[in-house]
Structure formats: structure tokens, C-alpha cells
């Protein structure tokens, strides 16, 4: 009867890698739904997609399920839409993981994350979540965008890669292109100073 009060339950989950089970459960579990969103934005996966139990009617009729048009970041977009749009779920007060996600040594996600197209596809999913996130998580949202589309992309694809993402549709509605370019210039300057310091030390 208690379950009828919630539209979905989120249980702790772990990883199964190289024949070993790992339970990277946050120390402060059970989290609140809001803390779960902040964990996603901080690149800390608080749970795996298979560890959630949804009410069928809610998932299909209200939430309208997965977005079939997205090529990546589907789980991110789904949980942001669910938690921010329908905060009627519950984090299960359990400490032991009962669901494990198998991680292979070489997988499509890790290889795809090295391509520029991956980041363009990710931007589409992230922009869909923007309206929900800026209401309560403006600071965390901006830090997430900086890290994923500027810092991370710069290290993976080179110094000019962030600019290609900035001018790729769709646009961020709450962060102007001028502001994004300003962030990129700051990052370039930081990298230049690091390079010059290393060069100076080598000469000494």
C-alpha cells in the first residue's frame, strides 16, 4: 500500500567488471531526488538505469517513456525529466546493491565519447533538459556545461573543438554564445599558462 504513494522507486546499484562486483554506492545513500540530480550534473552516476522500478501507467502516459530520437545521454534526459517534472519518486532506503551493470573493458560508450559527433548528440539531449535544470540547479548546470562541452572536449579533440559545439544547433537557451566563447578564452589562457610554465621549467 505504501508503494501506491510513489510513481517510481530507485534502488542502489553496482558494477560488474572483469568478473568482480563493485558497489560504488554514495556514502550518504539514501540520497534525496534533488541530490541525485546534482550527482548527475557532477558526473557522479548515483545509480544505473536498470535499478529503477516505474509504475507502468506513469512511465507510459505521464512521463511518455524514453526519447527515441536521442543517440546518447538518454538516461540523463529521462531522469532529469522524471525528477524535475514529476518529483513523486522515492530513493529506496537500502544499502546493498541488488542490481549490477556489466562494464566491458572495451565498450561502445567509451569509444564513442572520443568522437566530436558524440558531443554534438549529447548537446541535443542536454538542451532538452535545460528548462528543467535552470529552475533549481543553475550553478550546477553551468558547471556541467563547462566540464562536458568545453574542458572535456578540449582535451579530447583539441583547442578548437569547443567552438564547433558552441555553434552547433540546438543553442543553449540560458547561456549565450558570447558567454560560452568567453569561457573558452579563459580555458585557452589557463592552458597557455600551464604550457609556458612547463616550458620555463624545462629550460631551467
Amino acid at each position: 500500500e505504501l508503494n501506491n504513494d510513489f510513481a517510481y522507486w530507485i534502488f542502489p546499484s553496482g558494477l560488474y567488471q572483469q568478473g568482480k562486483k563493485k558497489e560504488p554506492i554514495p556514502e550518504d545513500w539514501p540520497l534525496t531526488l534533488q541530490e541525485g540530480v546534482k550527482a548527475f550534473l557532477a558526473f557522479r552516476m548515483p545509480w544505473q538505469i536498470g535499478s529503477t522500478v516505474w509504475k507502468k501507467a506513469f512511465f507510459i502516459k505521464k512521463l511518455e517513456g524514453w526519447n527515441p530520437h536521442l543517440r546518447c545521454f538518454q538516461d540523463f534526459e529521462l531522469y532529469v525529466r522524471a525528477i524535475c517534472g514529476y518529483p513523486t519518486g522515492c530513493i529506496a532506503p537500502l544499502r546493498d546493491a541488488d542490481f549490477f551493470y556489466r562494464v566491458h573493458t572495451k565498450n561502445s560508450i567509451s569509444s564513442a565519447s572520443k568522437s566530436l559527433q558524440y558531443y554534438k548528440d549529447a548537446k541535443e539531449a542536454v538542451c532538452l533538459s535545460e528548462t528543467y535544470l535552470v529552475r533549481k540547479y543553475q550553478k550546477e548546470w553551468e558547471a556541467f556545461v563547462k566540464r562536458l562541452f568545453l574542458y572535456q572536449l578540449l582535451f579530447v579533440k583539441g583547442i578548437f573543438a569547443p567552438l564547433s559545439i558552441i555553434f552547433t544547433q540546438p543553442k543553449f537557451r540560458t547561456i549565450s554564445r558570447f558567454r560560452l566563447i568567453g569561457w573558452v578564452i579563459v580555458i585557452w589562457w589557463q592552458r597557455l599558462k600551464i604550457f609556458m610554465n612547463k616550458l620555463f621549467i624545462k629550460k631551467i
Side-chain angles (χ1 to χ4, degrees):
E1 293 181 0
L2 179 63
N3 293 346
N4 292 329
D5 296 334
F6 302 105
Y8 50 95
W9 282 80
I10 301 174
F11 294 87
S13 58
L15 302 175
Y16 189 83
Q17 188 173 20
Q18 297 180 346
K20 296 181 180 180
K21 289 183 177 180
K22 300 180 180 179
E23 299 190 22
I25 302 171
E27 295 181 0
D28 52 351
W29 186 279
L31 306 168
T32 64
L33 293 175
Q34 291 71 28
E35 288 169 341
V37 173
K38 290 182 179 181
F40 273 111
L41 293 174
F43 292 82
R44 293 187 297 107
M45 195 72 173
W47 56 75
Q48 301 295 330
I49 188 65
S51 62
T52 304
V53 177
W54 309 86
K55 278 189 177 180
K56 184 177 180 180
F58 168 80
F59 189 80
I60 295 175
K61 294 181 180 180
K62 281 192 174 182
L63 192 60
E64 297 182 348
W66 296 91
N67 186 331
H69 303 293
L70 299 178
R71 297 182 181 89
C72 63
F73 271 62
Q74 300 95 330
D75 51 352
F76 175 87
E77 189 274 337
L78 178 73
Y79 277 111
V80 169
R81 182 157 39 95
I83 295 175
C84 296
Y86 304 94
T88 54
C90 180
I91 305 290
L94 304 173
R95 282 298 307 171
D96 298 324
D98 59 359
F99 173 86
F100 287 85
Y101 178 78
R102 183 183 293 275
V103 179
H104 299 280
T105 304
K106 293 183 179 180
N107 58 76
S108 59
I109 295 177
S110 63
S111 59
S113 65
K114 297 179 181 179
S115 70
L116 185 60
Q117 186 60 46
Y118 173 87
Y119 290 92
K120 292 180 179 180
D121 294 337
K123 185 182 179 184
E124 182 180 357
V126 170
C127 283
L128 287 175
S129 306
E130 183 175 6
T131 302
Y132 294 106
L133 292 171
V134 295
R135 296 173 185 171
K136 293 184 178 180
Y137 311 99
Q138 181 73 37
K139 182 179 178 181
E140 293 84 359
W141 155 253
E142 291 186 357
F144 173 81
V145 171
K146 280 184 182 180
R147 180 172 175 180
L148 178 61
F149 297 112
L150 302 184
Y151 281 102
Q152 193 176 114
L153 189 53
L154 183 146
F155 285 109
V156 173
K157 300 301 293 182
I159 61 174
F160 294 108
L163 291 178
S164 65
I165 290 296
I166 291 174
F167 291 100
T168 298
Q169 295 293 338
K171 295 192 300 183
F172 294 114
R173 291 185 293 275
T174 60
I175 307 176
S176 69
R177 283 175 174 171
F178 290 107
R179 193 175 180 199
L180 288 168
I181 292 172
W183 288 348
V184 171
I185 292 173
V186 170
I187 294 172
W188 285 348
W189 177 243
Q190 291 173 345
R191 297 303 302 166
L192 179 61
K193 287 196 296 184
I194 293 173
F195 173 77
M196 294 301 292
N197 287 337
K198 289 182 178 179
L199 189 63
F200 180 73
I201 292 174
K202 284 184 179 180
K203 286 184 177 181
I204 294 177

